Amino acid sequence: MVVGLLLVVALVDLESGDRIASVVGAAVGVLGLAVSVFALTRPASDPAVAGSRSVQAGGNIGRAVTGDNVRVTDPAPHVASGPAGQGPGANDTAVPGERGVSAGGSIGEAITGDGTRQQ
């Protein structure tokens, strides 16, 4: 594009070059506006998880297990379903660290240790 504009400057008179530059500038401005509107209206992506083996959810979590050699025999706790983003810490922007657990709603149980046994 730059090479094309340089050729216009070198081969065409100043008045025509001014008109062409105005049209190109307007086209680039409209393209920039379209990209901005697209970026503002696209759906938000999932939150980033920072720590290794960490869990982060926008809603409720019944059970999250991040430890090694964990034996769990009872069923996951029941977590009342509700709209995401209403639970404690729903407005927090912090992401969990290593083996951390974060949710926009309720967390029934989080097991992050190694060798945990539940009966």
Side-chain angles (χ1 to χ4, degrees):
M1 184 160 169
V2 173
V3 173
L5 291 176
L6 289 175
L7 286 173
V8 168
V9 169
L11 301 175
V12 181
D13 62 283
L14 190 57
E15 189 175 326
S16 296
D18 181 42
R19 289 185 194 140
I20 292 171
S22 295
V23 170
V24 169
V28 169
V30 169
L31 182 64
L33 177 65
V35 168
S36 297
V37 168
F38 173 74
L40 290 173
T41 58
R42 68 182 179 156
S45 61
D46 291 336
V49 178
S52 68
R53 299 169 63 176
S54 59
V55 178
Q56 186 170 11
N60 300 323
I61 297 175
R63 175 184 287 148
V65 180
T66 62
D68 293 325
N69 303 318
V70 176
R71 176 178 288 169
V72 179
T73 58
D74 52 336
H78 175 72
V79 178
S81 62
Q86 300 296 321
N91 296 324
D92 293 347
T93 57
V95 292
E98 182 176 344
R99 294 189 188 194
V101 179
S102 173
S106 300
I107 300 173
E109 180 178 33
I111 303 170
T112 59
D114 292 330
T116 306
R117 293 179 187 262
Q118 289 188 338
Q119 300 292 330

